[in-house]
Amino acid sequence: MDILAGLNAAQREAVQYIKGPLLILAGPGSGKTRVITHRIAYLVKTTGVSPRHIMAVTFTNKAAREMQQRLQKLLGSLSEQVWAGTFHAICARILRRDGKSLGLDTNFVIYDEEDQQSLVKQCLLDLDLDPRQYNPQKIRNAISQAKSQQITHDGLTARARSPWDDIVCRVYERYQEQLGQSNAADFDDLLMKVVQLFEKHPAALEKYRSRYLHLLVDEFQDTNLIQYKLIRLLGGKHRNVCVVGDPDQSIYSWRFADIRNILSFEKDFPDARVIVLEQNYRSTKNILGAASAIISANKKRKEKDLWTDNTEGTPVFLVKTYNEQEEAQFVANEILKLSGSDSIKPGDCVVMYRTNAQSRAVEEAFMRYGLKYKLVGGTRFYQRREIKDTIAYLRVIQNPFDNISLSRIIRIPGRGIGAKTLSDLTNWARENNLSLFTAVKAVNEGGGPGFGAKINTALAGFYRMLNDLIMEGQQLNLIKLIDTVLERSGYRETIRGEEDGEERWENIQELRTVAADYDDLPPGEGLAPFLEKVSLVADTDEIESREDTVTLITLHQAKGLEFPIVFIVGLEEGLLPHRRSMEEGGDELEEERRLCYVGVTRAERNVYLMHTVRRAIFGMSSESTPSRFLDDLPEHLVERKGMIPGEEQPGGNVRVRAKRWRDEDEGINIADLLAKKSGLPQPSAGLAEVNPGDRVRHAKFGDGQVIGVRVTGQDREVIVAFEDSGVKKLLLSMAPLEKI
DNA sequence: GCAAACATGATTTTT
DNA sequence: TCATGTTTGC
């Protein structure tokens, strides 16, 4: 197979330029992944580089997996020798192997954000600081930010400028101490410690440098300082570093991604070749034009000239609806319409939004319309309480000094050990500089802070159970171990008795399925790799896409995906751009704009940019203003739908508004058919022509005059001033009203 | 120690 | 509005 076949000139150049630093600026839909994988294949097949000498770094497991799969197709089994992984997975592996000199034992646990937060809270308590006064979340974030720049506790102390900084520093110090005692590393540590390792131990660095002679980095615009440092260290000698990214798609600065890394790259590698991939293979001309218009308004930006050979396509639809219910209803209606008349299926459609809360209205409408949907994100699998609990048990078995996991499971299920006991125990452990596990052991041996007989018995039972499980952990295969843990701890019984216990239990069974991959390993040896896997994986493998299922997703998560039909809802000031990014400086606003750009550039055929007149936020409905991003759309690329300016009437002329997207549709209205068939209330149906000023008669209240009409969800609320019964609010669909 | 009342504050979330 | 964490009463 010819590796270069089907590549355009720029792509080909990027594939063939293999010696020395290379920066690829890849516009959306420009075949970026193709270039990376073909480049690797080219290195191996054409220039004879051993796949063992290639490392490819990604941000997500999904990206790593996809890369691996595509390499498999190009290279066959040779592809397995390429080290393709996420920053965190790669670093974790390096630390397991070589982290001893940094005080990390090979079986260290990896703390996720929730664990980090618990630890911060504990540290605050240890330091006699009130967690309500000093927000643990903010402190966690500050520590994470410091680590992302390789600023140690000492370094942070040196630059502390305010009382708040001092608090952060004190917590940071204790926090690191506690991580050490628990033989734990948080996500940031994985990176920071590898950099420390390489800086302190040149031999270790040399080992990896001489092994991985070709380095590729995907989504380079999302790297933070420490990640870039790592790349420089690993690639600094052979300088065969290829980074691929798009500054216009940088949307993770709040995770400390630093767009300046792209500039630094050109400074640190002055001889770097820069290749820009500008041809787009994904979208129509109109969509690309709209996207370019939006992103061009950013000031701090490298100009890129995207173009496409694709057709012009339909205009970008600019849709205005009254509120979020009608917005969602429009989406549902449109999807049904498209899938009736066009070659489009619901599975080709995606609804994107800025905040997760916005999915609600969409879900409700989809349920009414009988549309299947898949919500991406939400409460993620490994974040679920029952999953975290189960994993915490397993972690303690693997590493009893893991204080955070131990304090999680000691009270669950209830075994007569409560908050008070736990805090006494924790304090005693702290005073004696012991781990929680050792403290429990001490109580069992007649020491400890001195509890009553009842608590002593409870703790003794807990300690015995843990010991048994630790022992048996050595002798059981993973699945048997998990079953034993759930049974012996009483967790199974407890969880199944709870509300939605069955669902939770099924989730645990799902975890057990993941464990099946490690069940064939010899007794005792499956646990460690299993825990590694679940610590570094944010989600279960994606459910395969189905033809009949619409995807609901945040704009952030949509990066890297593509769909024929894209709906972006809530393009309103305060939502997109989000109000929190409007407060200060232009930088965050520019990022919001990039977010919008990412959304639009996901589309292949159609884009619907939607906004409302009123939207409920935190339960309170208020007027909304169309997003400033919409102002930048050139009129000739746009077609308006929904409420058309100039045609609306003050007071809310319901009929005209509803008509717009229902009656102009040629052909049958599938939604109506569906609704009738299923016997569900027909959305937005039965709209009587009622306007303020009309005289009406009510069966009970008598005659009156309509003084207002308001849209509420699917219905209209009519306010009528009755001659005899006073002012009443009535639902148009329910009230026995007739016009007189 | 635990359940129910109460207060609070609420983007985005690759690992 | 609603989910989460904290206080309160048994």
Side-chain angles (χ1 to χ4, degrees):
Chain A
M1 179 185 30
D2 185 0
I3 291 162
L4 298 173
L7 298 177
N8 66 36
Q11 292 176 329
R12 212 172 270 215
E13 195 189 351
V15 167
Q16 289 179 289
Y17 189 87
I18 53 161
K19 199 95 189 80
L22 173 64
L23 168 62
I24 302 173
L25 296 171
S30 62
K32 177 193 71 167
T33 313
R34 194 139 181 256
V35 165
I36 298 179
T37 48
H38 282 246
R39 186 182 156 83
I40 293 174
Y42 184 83
L43 279 170
V44 174
K45 286 213 159 160
T46 308
T47 66
V49 172
S50 163
R52 298 179 64 250
H53 290 313
I54 302 172
M55 181 190 278
V57 194
T58 63
F59 272 86
T60 65
N61 291 297
K62 191 172 156 233
R65 197 167 51 234
E66 273 167 16
M67 193 181 297
Q68 201 57 264
Q69 281 163 0
R70 288 170 78 158
L71 283 177
Q72 163 79 32
K73 288 201 184 114
L74 293 166
L75 292 173
S77 64
L78 277 179
S79 65
E80 289 156 28
Q81 296 180 46
V82 175
W83 194 2
T86 65
F87 273 104
H88 292 86
I90 286 173
C91 288
R93 203 147 112 193
I94 294 175
L95 288 176
R96 298 241 185 253
R97 223 179 270 160
D98 299 299
K100 285 245 169 54
S101 53
L102 295 171
L104 275 181
D105 199 66
T106 37
N107 65 348
F108 68 84
V109 283
I110 298 166
Y111 279 178
D112 68 12
E113 242 164 77
E114 197 188 324
D115 302 322
Q116 289 178 42
Q117 192 128 328
S118 314
L119 185 52
V120 167
K121 248 190 222 162
Q122 187 55 53
C123 291
L124 282 168
L125 293 175
D126 291 351
L127 295 167
D128 271 323
L129 297 167
D130 184 359
R132 276 170 313 178
Q133 196 181 346
Y134 305 103
N135 182 327
Q137 167 106 37
K138 278 195 176 149
I139 295 180
R140 190 204 59 76
N141 204 47
I143 293 175
S144 180
Q145 178 164 30
K147 288 183 174 185
S148 78
Q149 300 170 64
Q150 210 195 4
I151 298 171
T152 58
H153 155 254
D154 290 336
L156 198 63
T157 312
R159 64 183 77 185
R161 291 282 171 277
S162 62
W164 162 257
D165 292 349
D166 291 331
I167 298 289
V168 171
C169 288
R170 288 171 64 194
V171 177
Y172 187 6
E173 181 175 30
R174 173 134 195 96
Y175 176 88
Q176 281 309 106
E177 244 172 59
Q178 286 301 107
L179 281 178
Q181 190 187 58
S182 294
N183 190 25
D186 62 24
F187 283 139
D188 304 305
D189 280 343
L190 294 177
L191 297 151
M192 191 171 73
K193 289 201 184 265
V194 169
V195 169
Q196 278 171 2
L197 172 76
F198 286 169
E199 284 178 348
K200 280 194 205 146
H201 304 273
L205 173 59
E206 199 45 43
K207 177 172 138 192
Y208 288 95
R209 259 184 182 172
S210 55
R211 166 79 189 259
Y212 297 100
L213 298 174
H214 288 269
L215 199 55
L216 291 98
V217 184
D218 193 14
E219 306 281 16
F220 186 60
Q221 79 281 351
D222 289 337
T223 51
N224 62 29
L225 210 73
I226 198 95
Q227 287 160 337
Y228 180 50
K229 239 178 183 170
L230 182 68
I231 295 161
R232 259 186 338 206
L233 281 166
L234 273 174
K237 196 170 168 194
H238 52 66
R239 299 164 51 80
N240 296 320
V241 184
C242 168
V243 300
V244 189
D246 180 3
D248 287 336
Q249 293 185 64
S250 159
I251 53 173
Y252 282 101
S253 73
W254 51 278
R255 300 277 303 215
F256 318 120
D258 198 331
I259 204 162
R260 287 173 304 180
N261 285 344
I262 292 196
L263 302 174
S264 308
F265 187 81
E266 290 184 84
K267 237 184 355 216
D268 293 330
F269 301 93
D271 55 331
R273 182 64 166 268
V274 181
I275 295 173
V276 191
L277 303 180
E278 290 176 314
Q279 181 175 3
N280 173 293
Y281 294 94
R282 180 183 297 151
S283 314
T284 63
K285 285 198 174 73
N286 283 337
I287 290 171
L288 203 59
S292 299
I294 290 172
I295 199 67
S296 299
N298 268 355
K299 298 241 159 54
K300 302 177 182 168
R301 183 176 110 84
K302 275 192 174 188
E303 202 53 56
K304 239 195 288 79
D305 247 329
L306 299 181
W307 60 278
T308 181
D309 268 342
N310 293 343
T311 61
E312 200 158 306
T314 29
V316 166
F317 299 120
L318 192 54
V319 187
K320 178 179 179 181
T321 58
Y322 183 68
N323 59 13
E324 69 271 22
Q325 280 82 21
E326 293 203 351
E327 183 179 59
Q329 191 180 309
F330 179 97
V331 173
N333 204 28
E334 195 73 10
I335 290 174
L336 287 165
K337 198 176 83 189
L338 285 169
S339 32
S341 59
D342 225 327
S343 56
I344 293 293
K345 295 176 274 309
D348 298 323
C349 303
V350 62
V351 187
M352 300 179 186
Y353 36 79
R354 177 67 235 262
T355 68
N356 283 306
Q358 289 173 260
S359 74
R360 197 188 183 87
V362 180
E363 288 181 76
E364 282 170 0
F366 280 17
M367 279 193 273
R368 266 199 312 275
Y369 276 75
L371 260 174
K372 285 194 186 143
Y373 63 87
K374 164 180 81 180
L375 198 131
V376 179
T379 315
R380 294 204 303 293
F381 184 72
Y382 287 101
Q383 301 282 91
R384 291 174 181 280
R385 177 163 60 82
E386 63 275 19
I387 298 302
K388 289 220 67 164
D389 287 341
T390 308
I391 291 173
Y393 269 101
L394 295 170
R395 280 179 169 184
V396 171
I397 290 169
Q398 151 102 351
N399 168 16
F401 304 117
D402 177 349
N403 293 337
I404 291 296
S405 296
L406 186 61
S407 43
R408 187 180 181 105
I409 61 170
I410 198 168
R411 290 172 302 157
I412 308 169
R415 48 172 71 86
I417 303 168
K420 180 71 168 63
T421 308
L422 178 58
S423 87
D424 287 352
L425 208 52
T426 307
N427 288 333
W428 186 83
R430 188 183 73 232
E431 282 154 22
N432 294 280
N433 199 26
L434 296 170
S435 74
L436 203 52
F437 181 75
T438 319
V440 177
K441 183 172 175 226
V443 173
N444 198 239
E445 287 162 357
F451 293 115
K454 215 165 152 190
I455 288 171
N456 276 336
T457 315
L459 281 171
F462 178 65
Y463 179 69
R464 206 171 329 111
M465 176 192 74
L466 275 188
N467 256 329
D468 289 353
L469 288 171
I470 291 167
M471 296 294 213
E472 288 176 49
Q474 311 292 312
Q475 287 143 33
L476 296 174
N477 285 2
L478 186 56
I479 292 207
K480 192 84 190 35
L481 174 64
I482 293 177
D483 291 342
T484 311
V485 166
L486 293 167
E487 203 56 51
R488 200 79 62 79
S489 63
Y491 194 77
R492 188 185 79 100
E493 207 180 336
T494 311
I495 207 78
R496 297 195 75 171
E498 280 177 18
E499 205 177 339
D500 12 280
E502 280 311 310
E503 194 190 327
R504 291 187 187 278
W505 181 245
E506 298 211 340
N507 288 329
I508 293 176
Q509 294 309 301
E510 184 60 35
L511 184 70
R512 202 170 167 277
T513 314
V514 179
D517 288 346
Y518 303 85
D519 199 47
D520 294 337
L521 292 167
E525 285 178 31
L527 185 55
F530 173 70
L531 286 176
E532 176 94 354
K533 155 129 183 160
V534 299
S535 302
L536 293 174
V537 160
D539 227 326
T540 37
D541 287 347
E542 240 173 312
I543 327 104
E544 81 284 16
S545 60
R546 294 168 47 105
E547 286 196 343
D548 59 350
T549 306
V550 186
T551 302
L552 273 49
I553 196 169
T554 62
L555 285 158
H556 279 92
Q557 288 190 298
K559 195 180 68 164
L561 306 178
E562 57 184 12
F563 293 86
I565 313 288
V566 170
F567 296 85
I568 305 180
V569 296
L571 273 151
E572 290 146 36
E573 290 289 298
L575 254 187
L576 185 64
H578 198 274
R579 52 172 52 71
R580 293 278 277 257
S581 39
M582 292 160 68
E583 282 155 12
E584 58 179 299
D587 286 14
E588 289 179 68
L589 257 170
E590 296 215 342
E591 182 148 318
E592 294 290 304
R593 189 179 279 281
R594 291 195 290 270
L595 199 49
C596 183
Y597 172 74
V598 164
V600 174
T601 54
R602 297 311 93 199
E604 294 166 1
R605 291 179 46 172
N606 292 356
V607 174
Y608 296 78
L609 302 175
M610 315 196 42
H611 68 101
T612 65
V613 175
R614 296 185 71 83
R615 179 177 299 271
I617 291 173
F618 305 148
M620 281 254 289
S621 172
S622 56
E623 299 236 351
S624 26
T625 314
S627 168
R628 65 189 73 186
F629 303 151
L630 297 174
D631 298 341
D632 300 305
L633 294 169
E635 204 55 44
H636 72 278
L637 297 178
V638 167
E639 182 183 322
R640 289 168 204 279
K641 290 196 171 214
M643 296 166 70
I644 309 279
E647 291 186 33
E648 347 160 4
Q649 289 170 27
N653 184 326
V654 168
R655 186 182 59 83
V656 167
R657 184 162 64 236
K659 227 176 141 70
R660 274 271 77 76
W661 71 78
R662 297 177 62 79
D663 293 0
E664 74 183 13
D665 303 343
E666 59 292 0
I668 44 161
N669 187 322
I670 300 162
D672 285 355
L673 288 179
L674 269 179
K676 273 180 191 142
K677 214 166 120 188
S678 60
L680 290 169
Q682 208 173 319
S684 183
L687 292 168
E689 207 174 323
V690 179
N691 288 303
D694 287 351
R695 300 274 306 161
V696 291
R697 176 167 298 153
H698 188 275
K700 210 159 154 198
F701 301 135
D703 294 353
Q705 184 171 8
V706 176
I707 56 174
V709 180
R710 212 163 63 89
V711 184
T712 54
Q714 297 315 302
D715 214 330
R716 317 292 151 182
E717 186 181 76
V718 207
I719 305 163
V720 187
F722 290 103
E723 277 148 23
D724 301 324
S725 324
V727 177
K728 303 271 180 207
K729 285 185 189 174
L730 304 160
L731 279 181
L732 193 48
S733 66
M734 307 296 285
L737 274 178
E738 57 174 321
K739 242 167 147 181
I740 50 173

